[in-house]
Amino acid sequence: MTKKKWALLALVTAGVMSGVPAAAEDTESLFKTHCSECHGLNRLGGIGPALLPENLSRLRKKSAVQVIKSGRPATQMQGFGEVLNDEQIAALADFIYQPPAAPPTWTMADISASHIIHTPLSALPDKPLHKADPLNLFTVVETGDHHVTILDGDAFEPLWRFPSRYALHGGAKYSPDGRFMYLGSRDGWVSKYDLHSFQIVAEIRAGINMRNIAVSADGRYVMAANYLPHTLTLLNASDLSPIKSFDVLGKDGTSSRVSAVYTAPPRNSFVVALKDIPEIWEIEYSDNPRPVAKGMVHNWTPGQEEGDFDYGPFPVRRIVLNDYLDDFFFDQSYEHVVGAARDGKSGQVVNLDVSRKIATIDLAGMPHLGSGITFEYQGRPVLATPHLKGGTVSVIDMQSWKTIKKIETLGPGFFMRSHDNTPYAWVDVFFGPDKDALHVIDKRTLDIVKTIRPEPGKTGAHVEFDRDGKHALVSVWEMDGALVVYDAATLEEVKRIPMKKPVGKYNVYNKITYSAGTSH
């Protein structure tokens, strides 16, 4: 007898096919019978993703009902429309969007128990087993069917396509030499891949709901930023074994979700954005970190410190602010971070060296600073960023922190990209009736010189350049989508590669060199 028929028999025997809306205990029983094997009794996930409100934030309840009823293509999620009636399906959907009675935990013991070695490092080849330029590969995240494609950045041909963990965060990270790729999923899984032999190396679940990961500039560590639980998880980059979990508590003891973590190469540190407390954290990962004061200090002289200090390893330095900084953007020196204020009317510049805000900038409209870029304009460094509210790109002088120009666009944008070897910056119009449009801006004049529509009526987004800046790759952000390759000089289409909702693409060289034209 098939699994579905056994489930149907169990339901009939239990009398739950009557069409009467399920009580809470009946719904929990339904979940246990049909869902727990893949999603876990506590809804923390297993073969399938975690089913908690935080993990389902990107899936509307109406869509969840449809998934329960009809399944999800190209996954192990079967449909239960033949087994459950509409009331029971609706009750299950309601159930998974409710927080559990007790906040779920994910301890170091849980993290360690999840650790998987797929391919020992000793079994990996010394040289690439393919002929493509290892530094001109792209990692393309296709959320349409939860796959990842490794693309040759010269021939623009797929080299490897493999299934990913559920709900990947788009941003791929790489080891400093570009050989290894790291991916993080919203369900807390961190995965390491070898780009020489196209094999998965190791995996570990660093949290229950994770925002992103960062790789240290020396290639030794991976840090995971978690929404649930409120922690940072530090991993050994070689095999992803766990090193330490940081409870994220403010100076007053308030617990906070972690919005994002980034590596700051010149500082040998991770810099952390926090959601619920007005602080920035900096965690140094060098072998001999600078001591961090935990209270009053009487003497800072090295070797003669007097006071309460954290000598590490991995000491946490707090920068306490007057406003929240959910996410931010670094200048190229990594001395400053620029973030949007909660009021959506301004931004703030924080100097990491002096540990305080030094400027307020005009940044209305909720700019997506994680996708801002920097470049030289008339001999001075500028920051350019699109806005999530209103059709504007703001260009900010990074010496005076004054607005140079507001470039009007066809609508709110999400991603902006450029390259040192091109005079152009590309920005999408991610929302609204012109979501199919991308603007090309001349960095020398700050004027829009061309508007491109890769696929009329379908969302065009997220530009990334190849290693030399000769080509720009654009996503048609749809289930029946594509990567569209443009000549970066002529702005004409060169090639189109069909893909399943390619939400992001990340060039190895641009990432490991921390290109000013891409996200870090």
Side-chain angles (χ1 to χ4, degrees):
M1 186 178 289
T2 66
K3 184 177 178 181
K4 271 193 177 181
K5 289 181 179 177
W6 272 115
L8 180 60
L9 178 60
L11 284 167
V12 172
T13 303
V16 295
M17 294 293 287
S18 63
V20 178
E25 58 271 20
D26 292 334
T27 304
E28 291 186 25
S29 178
L30 286 176
F31 184 90
K32 182 177 180 180
T33 300
H34 301 288
C35 313
S36 63
E37 182 178 345
C38 293
H39 299 281
L41 278 171
N42 50 13
R43 295 193 277 153
L44 298 186
I47 299 172
L51 299 179
L52 298 166
E54 295 88 348
N55 300 66
L56 297 170
S57 61
R58 297 190 172 197
L59 183 70
R60 296 181 182 274
K61 189 181 293 187
K62 183 168 66 173
S63 298
V65 167
Q66 190 59 38
V67 170
I68 297 170
K69 185 173 185 177
S70 304
R72 186 184 288 273
T75 72
Q76 298 182 53
M77 175 62 192
Q78 62 176 335
F80 290 90
E82 297 179 10
V83 176
L84 304 176
N85 60 36
D86 289 346
E87 288 80 4
Q88 291 158 348
I89 290 173
L92 275 174
D94 287 337
F95 176 69
I96 63 177
Y97 280 87
Q98 296 299 317
T105 60
W106 196 249
T107 65
M108 279 294 281
D110 296 318
I111 296 169
S112 297
S114 72
H115 188 214
I116 305 168
I117 298 294
H118 292 282
T119 308
L121 293 175
S122 59
L124 299 178
D126 295 330
K127 297 180 180 180
L129 302 183
H130 55 82
K131 296 181 180 180
D133 178 355
L135 299 185
N136 200 26
L137 300 178
F138 286 86
T139 298
V140 186
V141 176
E142 298 179 69
T143 61
D145 60 355
H146 305 286
H147 276 68
V148 173
T149 293
I150 304 301
L151 187 75
D152 182 337
D154 292 303
F156 301 113
E157 293 289 342
L159 300 174
W160 182 33
R161 191 173 193 266
F162 58 91
S164 71
R165 289 285 179 175
Y166 177 76
L168 282 188
H169 177 269
K173 301 296 189 293
Y174 301 101
S175 59
D177 61 359
R179 170 166 187 170
F180 297 106
M181 172 186 64
Y182 301 86
L183 294 172
S185 79
R186 296 295 185 189
D187 270 1
W189 283 96
V190 181
S191 306
K192 177 179 180 175
Y193 300 87
D194 177 36
L195 295 182
H196 278 12
S197 61
F198 297 150
Q199 298 182 80
I200 185 169
V201 176
E203 291 186 293
I204 195 167
R205 194 176 188 188
I208 298 170
N209 182 257
M210 189 171 70
R211 298 302 295 172
N212 78 324
I213 59 173
V215 178
S216 62
D218 59 14
R220 295 189 296 168
Y221 305 109
V222 177
M223 185 74 91
N226 295 318
Y227 252 31
L228 189 67
H230 297 176
T231 58
L232 289 154
T233 304
L234 184 68
L235 308 172
N236 187 323
S238 65
D239 63 356
L240 298 185
S241 56
I243 296 174
K244 184 175 182 178
S245 179
F246 300 78
D247 290 327
V248 180
L249 300 172
K251 290 193 72 174
D252 62 356
T254 301
S255 181
S256 178
R257 295 165 290 176
V258 184
S259 296
V261 60
Y262 304 101
T263 190
R267 309 179 70 84
N268 292 312
S269 66
F270 293 113
V271 182
V272 184
L274 303 176
K275 184 74 174 178
D276 305 308
I277 55 178
E279 296 180 11
I280 296 172
W281 284 14
E282 183 173 20
I283 303 174
E284 190 173 340
Y285 47 71
S286 58
D287 288 334
N288 296 296
R290 295 161 295 176
V292 172
K294 298 168 66 177
M296 296 297 293
V297 176
H298 301 288
N299 188 350
W300 278 98
T301 305
Q304 303 178 32
E305 296 93 343
E306 296 179 32
D308 188 9
F309 289 90
D310 183 350
Y311 291 93
F314 314 111
V316 176
R317 184 168 75 95
R318 303 171 184 270
I319 299 174
V320 180
L321 305 171
N322 292 323
D323 197 1
Y324 297 88
L325 211 60
D326 294 356
D327 203 0
F328 47 72
F329 174 90
F330 290 99
D331 66 358
Q332 285 300 107
S333 70
Y334 287 86
E335 293 179 10
H336 302 94
V337 297
V338 183
R342 283 276 177 91
D343 62 11
K345 298 178 182 178
S346 62
Q348 54 182 321
V349 183
V350 177
N351 185 296
L352 295 176
D353 291 333
V354 301
S355 302
R356 62 179 176 85
K357 175 183 172 181
I358 62 166
T360 298
I361 55 178
D362 177 19
L363 276 179
M366 294 295 290
H368 185 215
L369 287 163
S371 286
I373 63 171
T374 62
F375 55 91
E376 291 289 320
Y377 175 70
Q378 295 184 353
R380 58 188 189 270
V382 298
L383 158 69
T385 179
H387 291 230
L388 295 176
K389 294 182 179 179
T392 304
V393 170
S394 288
V395 183
I396 309 290
D397 185 320
M398 298 183 72
Q399 294 175 341
S400 67
W401 300 110
K402 301 297 183 182
T403 301
I404 294 174
K405 185 174 183 179
K406 291 185 177 180
I407 305 169
E408 298 301 317
T409 66
L410 289 174
F414 208 77
F415 300 102
M416 189 170 188
R417 292 290 184 266
S418 188
H419 193 282
D420 288 341
N421 295 336
T422 175
Y424 302 122
W426 296 53
V427 63
D428 55 44
V429 181
F430 197 83
F431 305 99
D434 290 291
K435 64 181 182 179
D436 56 354
L438 295 99
H439 296 301
V440 181
I441 298 169
D442 192 321
K443 295 186 292 187
R444 298 162 296 191
T445 63
L446 304 183
D447 294 325
I448 294 174
V449 295
K450 188 170 184 177
T451 297
I452 294 172
R453 299 180 189 267
E455 185 75 26
K458 296 185 178 181
T459 303
H462 195 276
V463 177
E464 177 76 335
F465 287 81
D466 61 8
R467 173 180 180 173
D468 299 321
K470 294 180 178 179
H471 297 91
L473 282 67
V474 177
S475 291
V476 176
W477 197 295
E478 305 284 348
M479 187 64 183
D480 56 342
L483 280 190
V484 186
V485 183
Y486 289 89
D487 184 302
T490 66
L491 309 181
E492 297 297 324
E493 181 176 332
V494 173
K495 189 171 184 177
R496 188 170 291 237
I497 308 161
M499 290 198 175
K500 301 290 187 181
K501 199 175 185 180
V503 297
K505 65 213 75 68
Y506 308 92
N507 181 267
V508 172
Y509 182 81
N510 292 341
K511 280 288 190 181
I512 66 175
T513 58
Y514 303 95
S515 166
T518 190
S519 62
H520 299 178

